[in-house]
PDB file of all heavy atoms in Angstrom:
ATOM      1  N   LYS A  19      34.036  -3.458 -44.878  1.00  0.00           N
ATOM      2  CA  LYS A  19      32.866  -4.085 -44.244  1.00  0.00           C
ATOM      3  C   LYS A  19      32.818  -5.584 -44.556  1.00  0.00           C
ATOM      4  O   LYS A  19      32.500  -6.404 -43.688  1.00  0.00           O
ATOM      5  CB  LYS A  19      31.580  -3.409 -44.718  1.00  0.00           C
ATOM      6  CG  LYS A  19      31.363  -2.015 -44.159  1.00  0.00           C
ATOM      7  CD  LYS A  19      30.066  -1.414 -44.695  1.00  0.00           C
ATOM      8  CE  LYS A  19      29.847  -0.001 -44.163  1.00  0.00           C
ATOM      9  NZ  LYS A  19      28.627   0.604 -44.726  1.00  0.00           N
ATOM     10  N   ILE A  20      33.144  -5.946 -45.813  1.00  0.00           N
ATOM     11  CA  ILE A  20      33.119  -7.354 -46.234  1.00  0.00           C
ATOM     12  C   ILE A  20      34.188  -8.151 -45.497  1.00  0.00           C
ATOM     13  O   ILE A  20      33.924  -9.238 -44.966  1.00  0.00           O
ATOM     14  CB  ILE A  20      33.312  -7.472 -47.758  1.00  0.00           C
ATOM     15  CG1 ILE A  20      32.114  -6.855 -48.500  1.00  0.00           C
ATOM     16  CG2 ILE A  20      33.487  -8.931 -48.172  1.00  0.00           C
ATOM     17  CD1 ILE A  20      32.326  -6.687 -49.983  1.00  0.00           C
ATOM     18  N   THR A  21      35.429  -7.609 -45.462  1.00  0.00           N
ATOM     19  CA  THR A  21      36.526  -8.328 -44.796  1.00  0.00           C
ATOM     20  C   THR A  21      36.265  -8.457 -43.291  1.00  0.00           C
ATOM     21  O   THR A  21      36.609  -9.480 -42.683  1.00  0.00           O
ATOM     22  CB  THR A  21      37.867  -7.620 -45.030  1.00  0.00           C
ATOM     23  OG1 THR A  21      37.772  -6.251 -44.601  1.00  0.00           O
ATOM     24  CG2 THR A  21      38.249  -7.657 -46.502  1.00  0.00           C
ATOM     25  N   LYS A  22      35.646  -7.448 -42.704  1.00  0.00           N
ATOM     26  CA  LYS A  22      35.333  -7.509 -41.270  1.00  0.00           C
ATOM     27  C   LYS A  22      34.287  -8.592 -40.999  1.00  0.00           C
ATOM     28  O   LYS A  22      34.383  -9.350 -40.020  1.00  0.00           O
ATOM     29  CB  LYS A  22      34.821  -6.151 -40.786  1.00  0.00           C
ATOM     30  CG  LYS A  22      34.684  -6.052 -39.282  1.00  0.00           C
ATOM     31  CD  LYS A  22      34.290  -4.640 -38.858  1.00  0.00           C
ATOM     32  CE  LYS A  22      34.178  -4.540 -37.342  1.00  0.00           C
ATOM     33  NZ  LYS A  22      33.807  -3.176 -36.898  1.00  0.00           N
ATOM     34  N   ALA A  23      33.288  -8.669 -41.894  1.00  0.00           N
ATOM     35  CA  ALA A  23      32.250  -9.698 -41.745  1.00  0.00           C
ATOM     36  C   ALA A  23      32.843 -11.094 -41.924  1.00  0.00           C
ATOM     37  O   ALA A  23      32.517 -12.030 -41.169  1.00  0.00           O
ATOM     38  CB  ALA A  23      31.143  -9.468 -42.760  1.00  0.00           C
ATOM     39  N   MET A  24      33.749 -11.255 -42.908  1.00  0.00           N
ATOM     40  CA  MET A  24      34.389 -12.551 -43.141  1.00  0.00           C
ATOM     41  C   MET A  24      35.267 -12.959 -41.953  1.00  0.00           C
ATOM     42  O   MET A  24      35.342 -14.143 -41.596  1.00  0.00           O
ATOM     43  CB  MET A  24      35.234 -12.502 -44.415  1.00  0.00           C
ATOM     44  CG  MET A  24      34.420 -12.429 -45.688  1.00  0.00           C
ATOM     45  SD  MET A  24      35.433 -12.471 -47.170  1.00  0.00           S
ATOM     46  CE  MET A  24      36.030 -14.163 -47.135  1.00  0.00           C
ATOM     47  N   LYS A  25      35.910 -11.988 -41.333  1.00  0.00           N
ATOM     48  CA  LYS A  25      36.721 -12.268 -40.142  1.00  0.00           C
ATOM     49  C   LYS A  25      35.849 -12.805 -39.012  1.00  0.00           C
ATOM     50  O   LYS A  25      36.204 -13.777 -38.331  1.00  0.00           O
ATOM     51  CB  LYS A  25      37.437 -10.988 -39.704  1.00  0.00           C
ATOM     52  CG  LYS A  25      38.210 -11.141 -38.403  1.00  0.00           C
ATOM     53  CD  LYS A  25      38.615  -9.790 -37.854  1.00  0.00           C
ATOM     54  CE  LYS A  25      39.094  -9.919 -36.419  1.00  0.00           C
ATOM     55  NZ  LYS A  25      39.407  -8.611 -35.807  1.00  0.00           N
ATOM     56  N   MET A  26      34.686 -12.178 -38.819  1.00  0.00           N
ATOM     57  CA  MET A  26      33.773 -12.598 -37.751  1.00  0.00           C
ATOM     58  C   MET A  26      33.222 -14.002 -38.015  1.00  0.00           C
ATOM     59  O   MET A  26      33.088 -14.814 -37.095  1.00  0.00           O
ATOM     60  CB  MET A  26      32.642 -11.587 -37.612  1.00  0.00           C
ATOM     61  CG  MET A  26      33.095 -10.224 -37.110  1.00  0.00           C
ATOM     62  SD  MET A  26      31.807  -8.977 -37.146  1.00  0.00           S
ATOM     63  CE  MET A  26      30.721  -9.596 -35.868  1.00  0.00           C
ATOM     64  N   VAL A  27      32.911 -14.295 -39.272  1.00  0.00           N
ATOM     65  CA  VAL A  27      32.405 -15.629 -39.636  1.00  0.00           C
ATOM     66  C   VAL A  27      33.486 -16.683 -39.404  1.00  0.00           C
ATOM     67  O   VAL A  27      33.221 -17.763 -38.855  1.00  0.00           O
ATOM     68  CB  VAL A  27      31.931 -15.647 -41.106  1.00  0.00           C
ATOM     69  CG1 VAL A  27      31.626 -17.072 -41.559  1.00  0.00           C
ATOM     70  CG2 VAL A  27      30.707 -14.766 -41.289  1.00  0.00           C
ATOM     71  N   ALA A  28      34.720 -16.366 -39.829  1.00  0.00           N
ATOM     72  CA  ALA A  28      35.834 -17.305 -39.638  1.00  0.00           C
ATOM     73  C   ALA A  28      36.098 -17.547 -38.153  1.00  0.00           C
ATOM     74  O   ALA A  28      36.379 -18.675 -37.741  1.00  0.00           O
ATOM     75  CB  ALA A  28      37.096 -16.757 -40.317  1.00  0.00           C
ATOM     76  N   ALA A  29      35.987 -16.492 -37.348  1.00  0.00           N
ATOM     77  CA  ALA A  29      36.205 -16.630 -35.900  1.00  0.00           C
ATOM     78  C   ALA A  29      35.152 -17.534 -35.270  1.00  0.00           C
ATOM     79  O   ALA A  29      35.455 -18.345 -34.383  1.00  0.00           O
ATOM     80  CB  ALA A  29      36.179 -15.253 -35.241  1.00  0.00           C
ATOM     81  N   ALA A  30      33.903 -17.402 -35.759  1.00  0.00           N
ATOM     82  CA  ALA A  30      32.822 -18.250 -35.236  1.00  0.00           C
ATOM     83  C   ALA A  30      33.022 -19.712 -35.621  1.00  0.00           C
ATOM     84  O   ALA A  30      32.792 -20.620 -34.811  1.00  0.00           O
ATOM     85  CB  ALA A  30      31.485 -17.744 -35.758  1.00  0.00           C
ATOM     86  N   LYS A  31      33.490 -19.960 -36.845  1.00  0.00           N
ATOM     87  CA  LYS A  31      33.719 -21.332 -37.306  1.00  0.00           C
ATOM     88  C   LYS A  31      34.981 -21.936 -36.698  1.00  0.00           C
ATOM     89  O   LYS A  31      35.076 -23.160 -36.551  1.00  0.00           O
ATOM     90  CB  LYS A  31      33.831 -21.356 -38.839  1.00  0.00           C
ATOM     91  CG  LYS A  31      32.518 -21.082 -39.561  1.00  0.00           C
ATOM     92  CD  LYS A  31      32.724 -21.173 -41.064  1.00  0.00           C
ATOM     93  CE  LYS A  31      31.411 -20.972 -41.811  1.00  0.00           C
ATOM     94  NZ  LYS A  31      31.607 -21.062 -43.283  1.00  0.00           N
ATOM     95  N   LEU A  32      35.945 -21.084 -36.360  1.00  0.00           N
ATOM     96  CA  LEU A  32      37.235 -21.570 -35.873  1.00  0.00           C
ATOM     97  C   LEU A  32      37.102 -22.354 -34.579  1.00  0.00           C
ATOM     98  O   LEU A  32      37.736 -23.394 -34.412  1.00  0.00           O
ATOM     99  CB  LEU A  32      38.198 -20.391 -35.682  1.00  0.00           C
ATOM    100  CG  LEU A  32      39.549 -20.717 -35.044  1.00  0.00           C
ATOM    101  CD1 LEU A  32      40.325 -21.707 -35.907  1.00  0.00           C
ATOM    102  CD2 LEU A  32      40.361 -19.447 -34.829  1.00  0.00           C
ATOM    103  N   ARG A  33      36.290 -21.869 -33.649  1.00  0.00           N
ATOM    104  CA  ARG A  33      36.169 -22.519 -32.341  1.00  0.00           C
ATOM    105  C   ARG A  33      35.741 -23.978 -32.493  1.00  0.00           C
ATOM    106  O   ARG A  33      36.337 -24.875 -31.889  1.00  0.00           O
ATOM    107  CB  ARG A  33      35.173 -21.758 -31.461  1.00  0.00           C
ATOM    108  CG  ARG A  33      35.006 -22.373 -30.081  1.00  0.00           C
ATOM    109  CD  ARG A  33      34.018 -21.594 -29.236  1.00  0.00           C
ATOM    110  NE  ARG A  33      34.496 -20.261 -28.939  1.00  0.00           N
ATOM    111  CZ  ARG A  33      33.810 -19.384 -28.204  1.00  0.00           C
ATOM    112  NH1 ARG A  33      32.622 -19.704 -27.731  1.00  0.00           N
ATOM    113  NH2 ARG A  33      34.307 -18.193 -27.951  1.00  0.00           N
ATOM    114  N   LYS A  34      34.711 -24.213 -33.306  1.00  0.00           N
ATOM    115  CA  LYS A  34      34.222 -25.581 -33.516  1.00  0.00           C
ATOM    116  C   LYS A  34      35.245 -26.432 -34.259  1.00  0.00           C
ATOM    117  O   LYS A  34      35.481 -27.595 -33.919  1.00  0.00           O
ATOM    118  CB  LYS A  34      32.897 -25.534 -34.290  1.00  0.00           C
ATOM    119  CG  LYS A  34      32.237 -26.888 -34.480  1.00  0.00           C
ATOM    120  CD  LYS A  34      31.743 -27.461 -33.173  1.00  0.00           C
ATOM    121  CE  LYS A  34      30.974 -28.746 -33.374  1.00  0.00           C
ATOM    122  NZ  LYS A  34      30.585 -29.373 -32.101  1.00  0.00           N
ATOM    123  N   ALA A  35      35.873 -25.838 -35.287  1.00  0.00           N
ATOM    124  CA  ALA A  35      36.860 -26.572 -36.082  1.00  0.00           C
ATOM    125  C   ALA A  35      38.084 -26.939 -35.238  1.00  0.00           C
ATOM    126  O   ALA A  35      38.617 -28.055 -35.341  1.00  0.00           O
ATOM    127  CB  ALA A  35      37.293 -25.732 -37.288  1.00  0.00           C
ATOM    128  N   GLN A  36      38.517 -26.020 -34.383  1.00  0.00           N
ATOM    129  CA  GLN A  36      39.660 -26.288 -33.501  1.00  0.00           C
ATOM    130  C   GLN A  36      39.325 -27.391 -32.499  1.00  0.00           C
ATOM    131  O   GLN A  36      40.142 -28.281 -32.244  1.00  0.00           O
ATOM    132  CB  GLN A  36      40.049 -25.006 -32.757  1.00  0.00           C
ATOM    133  CG  GLN A  36      41.265 -25.178 -31.856  1.00  0.00           C
ATOM    134  CD  GLN A  36      41.653 -23.878 -31.166  1.00  0.00           C
ATOM    135  OE1 GLN A  36      41.118 -22.809 -31.450  1.00  0.00           O
ATOM    136  NE2 GLN A  36      42.589 -23.961 -30.241  1.00  0.00           N
TER     137      GLN A  36
END
Side-chain angles (χ1 to χ4, degrees):
K19 288 180 181 177
I20 294 169
T21 55
K22 189 175 181 180
M24 289 183 69
K25 175 193 167 184
M26 293 173 69
V27 171
K31 290 182 177 180
L32 174 61
R33 180 180 295 180
K34 184 68 175 175
Q36 182 178 352

